Amino acid sequence: MTEFDLLPILPTVSLSAFALLALVLVPFFRGSSRPIVLVALSGLGVTVGVLWSLWQACAREGAIESAAGLVRVDPFGLYISFLLLLIGILTVFYSVAFLEREEADIGEFYPLLLFCLAGMMIMVHTTHLMMVLIGLEIFSLSLYVITGLTRMRPRSVEAALKYFLLGAFSSGFMVYGLALLYGTAGSLEMIRIASIAAAGPGRLFWIGVGLFLIGLAFKIGAVPFHQWVPDVYEGAPTNVTGFMAAATKTAVFVVLIRFLVGALGRHEEIWIPLITWLSILTMTVGNLIALAQTNLKRMLAFSSIAHAGYLLIAIVCRPDEGVGAIVFYLTVYGLMTVGAFAVLSAVGRGDVDGERGYELSDWAGLGWRRPVLGMALTFFLFSLAGLPPTGGFLGKYVIFAAAVHSDRWLLAVVGMLNATVAVYYYLRVVVSIYMREPERDELPLPVTPGAAAVMLVSVAGVVWLGLAPGRLLDVARTLAASIL
């Protein structure tokens, strides 16, 4: 059905409504943002309930459309929405005490986080490229602001400015690409674009596709559009960095799957070589530069770039395996990334002059001074490195297996070599945690209940996905049928 139906847009409406409510309440709770946190968590909880109702409706009726086809709710988008909300909830829990400690508890963080998630919901619940652009700009503008949340620190403001300028530049590429696509296809609906692509479009069509992909490549930090990632990840507050690393990739890869695999699936000979070399370049550059990093936030930034390369492998695989591999990997990556940054937020601290606790030397002997923090970070690093029996190992395995089954041998070999290289810089941190003498006697601050809960949930999720991945893999593989 194409007539207006309120239910498909309720996830975005509920997040936006609670974000506006929280924003109105911020001036009344300048001393403490705890009431704002309750409003944000209420909004996230209500949205979970709405998504569950939509999931049941889709089980009965299939994909649901509204607003003349601008909104499309299907199982694929709903699963990703649940994942995004989980990342958001975990981020809120460990952000409360962190922002209070960093003297950045100004309240606006929580409504802006909800606006970020609302923009991402728009992206994952549509097959119309104009709605994709609207959703992307909503969440990008919110991220620009919370990146500079610690306004008293020059590095944070610099990171926000860099992110904003480069983000606006990439949006220009995307808008120009959409203009060319509309001029050649007469529509920005992916199904219409798929039919035009099947008829053999001209050169302007493919130029528009390329420009649109440049905008998406910037958001996932693919090489050579990655220059913003290390500076922004290092300068942003640690809780913002964790959310950015986990949630942004999740939302953008949904669009990449729908656009490339769904709309342009019949023209694999054109875009698969491009994505193949983009994946190889992204994996290799990310891992090689990560080897030289001594700041953990910068190391995880280049690690994030490399993980985008692994995910791009699955884009060029057979849809029945590639889509499921991406969904599974995004789930694992979201949990282990949020968990790792929750540990970092418990150790690092900042002031006007800079940040402490993020250099590799600061983690020397942490495993004996703070056993729980040391064990938690070690576990997340093992998962990021792809070591068994963690979910990260299974995530890499299903991607490389999909590449082999799709005869993408070059990507499988390069991916495994890169995964081997990555083990070094992850284990180097573990060696420092357990086998180096501390240079200072300064202890990390006590772990707050919220941060401890996030670490516990993340560890439990990564363990479960590493030991019993069968059910999630089955669900992930069935989602490929609803991408378009």
Side-chain angles (χ1 to χ4, degrees):
M1 57 182 177
T2 58
E3 66 272 9
F4 186 81
D5 184 2
L6 181 61
L7 184 61
I9 68 169
L10 272 184
T12 304
V13 170
S14 63
L15 285 172
S16 301
F18 278 93
L20 290 172
L21 175 61
L23 207 56
V24 169
L25 294 176
V26 164
F28 299 99
F29 297 98
R30 281 298 180 190
S32 174
S33 65
R34 297 298 175 101
I36 310 300
V37 174
L38 293 177
V39 173
L41 289 175
S42 299
L44 292 168
V46 169
T47 308
V48 169
V50 172
L51 289 176
W52 179 248
S53 299
L54 283 167
W55 184 276
Q56 294 177 318
C58 285
R60 296 189 304 267
E61 307 171 20
I64 304 173
E65 292 188 355
S66 181
L70 292 176
V71 178
R72 183 180 191 271
V73 176
D74 51 39
F76 178 54
L78 286 172
Y79 177 86
I80 297 298
S81 296
F82 279 119
L83 178 57
L84 288 170
L85 289 181
L86 175 61
I87 293 170
I89 291 170
L90 294 177
T91 300
V92 169
F93 269 103
Y94 82 90
S95 293
V96 179
F98 173 79
L99 293 176
E100 290 176 350
R101 191 188 77 206
E102 298 291 293
E103 298 181 355
D105 186 30
I106 57 177
E108 284 87 349
F109 170 77
Y110 303 101
L112 287 170
L113 184 72
L114 294 184
F115 280 128
C116 279
L117 291 169
M120 293 174 183
M121 292 288 178
I122 294 174
M123 291 179 66
V124 303
H125 291 310
T126 187
T127 57
H128 198 284
L129 296 185
M130 184 54 67
M131 294 296 291
V132 168
L133 177 64
I134 292 172
L136 185 141
E137 290 304 310
I138 290 173
F139 93 71
S140 295
L141 289 171
S142 301
L143 272 181
Y144 300 153
V145 177
I146 60 177
T147 296
L149 192 67
T150 48
R151 298 189 297 267
M152 74 294 295
R153 300 178 194 166
R155 182 173 293 179
S156 180
V157 176
E158 179 187 353
L161 184 60
K162 286 181 179 178
Y163 193 18
F164 170 70
L165 292 176
L166 290 175
F169 188 63
S170 70
S171 295
F173 280 99
M174 181 175 288
V175 171
Y176 192 22
L178 292 181
L180 293 177
L181 284 173
Y182 185 78
T184 53
S187 173
L188 292 178
E189 173 60 45
M190 290 189 193
I191 295 177
R192 172 65 178 167
I193 290 173
S195 63
I196 295 296
R203 185 177 302 173
L204 284 178
F205 176 87
W206 293 112
I207 293 175
V209 169
L211 292 172
F212 180 71
L213 291 178
I214 286 175
L216 296 180
F218 171 87
K219 292 301 179 183
I220 63 173
V223 177
F225 312 105
H226 69 290
Q227 292 90 342
W228 63 276
V229 175
D231 290 338
V232 173
Y233 276 40
E234 184 182 11
T238 306
N239 61 326
V240 175
T241 305
F243 175 77
M244 187 189 309
T248 302
K249 279 185 180 57
T250 302
V252 175
F253 265 97
V254 171
V255 179
L256 276 171
I257 291 170
R258 291 194 194 274
F259 187 64
L260 291 176
V261 180
L264 303 179
R266 296 185 181 181
H267 285 274
E268 294 180 346
E269 71 283 356
I270 295 178
W271 59 265
I272 279 186
L274 174 66
I275 300 299
T276 297
W277 289 106
L278 190 67
S279 172
I280 291 173
L281 194 61
T282 301
M283 285 186 291
T284 306
V285 171
N287 281 318
L288 290 181
I289 300 182
L291 292 172
Q293 304 304 311
T294 58
N295 182 285
L296 264 64
K297 288 175 78 173
R298 291 185 73 87
M299 186 200 79
L300 289 175
F302 285 105
S303 163
S304 173
I305 294 169
H307 283 281
Y310 300 139
L311 286 161
L312 287 171
I313 293 176
I315 291 284
V316 303
C317 296
R318 293 196 319 237
D320 58 334
E321 293 199 35
V323 174
I326 290 176
V327 170
F328 183 83
Y329 198 90
L330 285 173
T331 306
V332 176
Y333 181 75
L335 288 171
M336 59 191 181
T337 299
V338 172
F341 278 100
V343 178
L344 261 64
S345 72
V347 177
R349 62 200 75 175
D351 52 34
V352 176
D353 298 323
E355 291 184 320
R356 308 186 310 280
Y358 297 107
E359 291 296 323
L360 189 60
S361 58
D362 296 326
W363 292 75
L366 183 77
W368 308 112
R369 294 180 294 151
R370 285 285 189 267
V372 174
L373 288 177
M375 290 178 61
L377 185 61
T378 298
F379 188 82
F380 293 128
L381 291 174
F382 279 1
S383 187
L384 286 164
L387 299 178
T390 64
F393 169 76
L394 263 298
K396 285 186 173 65
Y397 172 79
V398 294
I399 284 182
F400 297 153
V404 170
H405 296 159
S406 303
D407 293 327
R408 308 295 178 191
W409 290 96
L410 176 63
L411 283 172
V413 172
V414 174
M416 286 186 282
L417 290 175
N418 270 281
T420 304
V421 170
V423 171
Y424 171 78
Y425 61 79
Y426 289 124
L427 293 187
R428 184 178 58 176
V429 181
V430 178
V431 169
S432 181
I433 289 174
Y434 289 104
M435 302 179 187
R436 297 281 188 271
E437 290 292 332
E439 298 179 2
R440 293 185 293 271
D441 293 332
E442 183 180 17
L443 288 175
L445 297 175
V447 180
T448 63
V454 171
M455 296 176 204
L456 180 61
V457 170
S458 299
V459 168
V462 173
V463 169
W464 176 62
L465 293 176
L467 298 178
R471 179 172 296 180
L472 179 58
L473 283 172
D474 292 339
V475 171
R477 291 184 180 120
T478 61
L479 298 177
S482 63
I483 62 175
L484 194 61

